[in-house]
Structures are given as C-alpha cells and as structure tokens.
Amino acid sequence: QVQLVESGGGVVQPGRSLRLSCAASGFSFSNYAMYWVRQAPGKGQEWVAVISYDGRNTYYADSVKGRLTISRDNSKNTLYLQMNSLRAEDTAVYYCARDRQIITIGATFDIWGQGTMVTVSS
Amino acid sequence: DIQMTQSPSSLSASVGDRVTITCRASQSISSSLNWYQQKPGKAPDLLIYDASSLHSGVPPRFSGGGSGTDFTLTISSLQPEDFATYYCQQSYSTAFTFGRGTKLEIK
C-alpha cells in the first residue's frame, strides 16, 4: 500500500525550530521528487518546497527561503523539513506529497500524507 | 509568481446537477494545470492532471479542459460524495501556485 506518514508537528514558540518527517512506504521512494505543501487554518494550499529524487536539487517558496530546509534520506525512505526561525504565519497543516511521475519535478501531487499540524505561538 | 484565480468561490447544487468550475492563470501555463478535491480534515486528492487527463481511479463524471490561461473542471452528474472543496494548481513553474478553492455545497 502506497503511503506517506508525517510526524513531528506541535506547538512551538516564535523563533524556535522544529523538524518534520515523512515516512514513505509501498513504492520506490528514491525514484520520486517529493514536496511539502501547507495549509493554514481555513485557507487554501501553499507549496513550500521540493527536492529532486536524488536530493541534488531543492527549490523553495519565497515565504520560507532561508528558514526552512527540505532534505531526504533515501536509505530510510524518509523526507524531512527542518523549520528554523518560525513565525506565526508558518502555522499550518504540513503535508508531504509525491510527484506523479518518476525522476522529474513535475509538480503534480498524486499521493499525500495525512498531514501534521504546526502551531507557532507564544 | 503565477496567480491562479478560481470562480466561483462557492457553489450550491443538487445531486444530479452538472457543474463547472473555472480557473484562470495570470499568464499562459500551457496545459500544466491540475485539479484536486479536498474534504474536511483530509488531504487533497488528485482528480485531473495536465488539464484534461483523468487520474487513476477517478470516476469519469469528472472532466477537465482548457489550455493557456483558462481552464475548467466539470462534474457531469453530481453525486453525494462530490460535495467538497476543489482547487486548481499550476505545475508550470515554481511556486506551483494553487487557486483559493471552490466550495461545492448541497442545495
């Protein structure tokens, strides 16, 4: 069964750090670009970051550039999002998602995790 | 960044109705347009990719069209499970922007 399971969310004070994880199973994780997408409460979706299948290329939304870092460990079938200098506006459900196509960064999200909530508040 | 404008923002319809949602891009994105369905408390599900290709397992009552800047999602005969929020998303360039969503409600 193809599955993505996020973990690591919680309540954190502004300026602090948090690391999210996304465990993949049921498919060849190392063949796919992977994404983080977030959804603030009552709002729509916002793409956050993408990492290529081999981890060599990463791209970020301007709103998170320099503060959030996407990475992956293909030996562990796990995607990460290191979140530093957190702000109130980072409060959202964070989803990891898989690209529909192997190898390429096609930005079509065919498999999503269940999401993990991050709340930035003092 | 490319802006995606969806309309309407909400829509009331009845089971069996045919409904169409539109999405407009602020610049041409060729056919790089995806549609997702999201139900409360759940992650989005991919419905349509590349403007008109039906994702595996999605019922054929869903269809997509358009290219360039103007796109549509049509549900030919609404079923009870179709009442949800629908989002378009461009895959043409970063930041892979989404529309603000269309909430489809039961009349």
Side-chain angles (χ1 to χ4, degrees):
Chain A
Q1 179 187 3
V2 176
Q3 195 172 11
L4 297 171
V5 179
E6 300 96 337
S7 60
V11 180
V12 61
Q13 293 178 330
R16 303 297 290 265
S17 298
L18 204 60
R19 188 175 85 156
L20 307 183
S21 299
C22 169
S25 59
F27 66 98
S28 297
F29 178 74
S30 61
N31 284 345
Y32 291 87
M34 295 295 296
Y35 304 79
W36 288 99
V37 178
R38 68 185 180 184
Q39 186 171 29
K43 303 295 186 182
Q45 312 292 336
E46 179 188 18
W47 167 76
V48 172
V50 58
I51 187 166
S52 61
Y53 72 100
D54 56 2
R56 292 185 178 185
N57 297 296
T58 58
Y59 303 93
Y60 298 91
D62 287 345
S63 59
V64 307
K65 204 171 292 184
R67 300 186 301 115
L68 275 57
T69 302
I70 189 171
S71 62
R72 66 192 298 160
D73 185 337
N74 285 345
S75 69
K76 296 182 178 180
N77 291 340
T78 303
L79 177 72
Y80 302 101
L81 186 66
Q82 178 65 43
M83 310 173 73
N84 297 333
S85 302
L86 283 162
R87 305 168 180 170
E89 53 265 36
D90 295 317
T91 294
V93 175
Y94 284 75
Y95 297 99
C96 61
R98 188 188 81 169
D99 200 294
R100 189 183 66 84
Q101 296 179 283
I102 63 170
I103 306 302
T104 61
I105 294 178
T108 298
F109 316 125
D110 72 334
I111 303 295
W112 297 63
Q114 85 287 354
T116 188
M117 183 71 202
V118 173
T119 303
V120 183
S121 173
S122 55
Chain B
D1 293 353
I2 298 173
Q3 305 305 312
M4 306 302 294
T5 303
Q6 274 184 249
S7 61
S9 57
S10 64
L11 176 59
S12 294
S14 302
V15 173
D17 284 354
R18 177 185 180 91
V19 299
T20 296
I21 298 168
T22 65
C23 182
R24 175 165 289 176
S26 60
Q27 67 183 73
S28 177
I29 57 171
S30 186
S31 296
S32 300
L33 191 283
N34 306 313
W35 289 97
Y36 300 86
Q37 177 194 69
Q38 187 178 31
K39 296 181 178 178
K42 300 293 187 181
D45 289 320
L46 178 63
L47 297 174
I48 301 285
Y49 64 93
D50 294 344
S52 61
S53 295
L54 196 66
H55 183 54
S56 174
V58 175
R61 62 180 179 273
F62 291 92
S63 63
S67 66
T69 60
D70 294 313
F71 302 87
T72 58
L73 172 70
T74 298
I75 310 172
S76 60
S77 178
L78 275 172
Q79 299 302 299
E81 61 268 29
D82 299 338
F83 292 94
T85 300
Y86 293 85
Y87 294 94
C88 62
Q89 175 246 334
Q90 62 85 10
S91 56
Y92 185 80
S93 67
T94 55
F96 306 134
T97 38
F98 288 80
R100 292 190 175 187
T102 295
K103 187 173 184 179
L104 181 52
E105 299 175 306
I106 300 174
K107 184 182 288 185

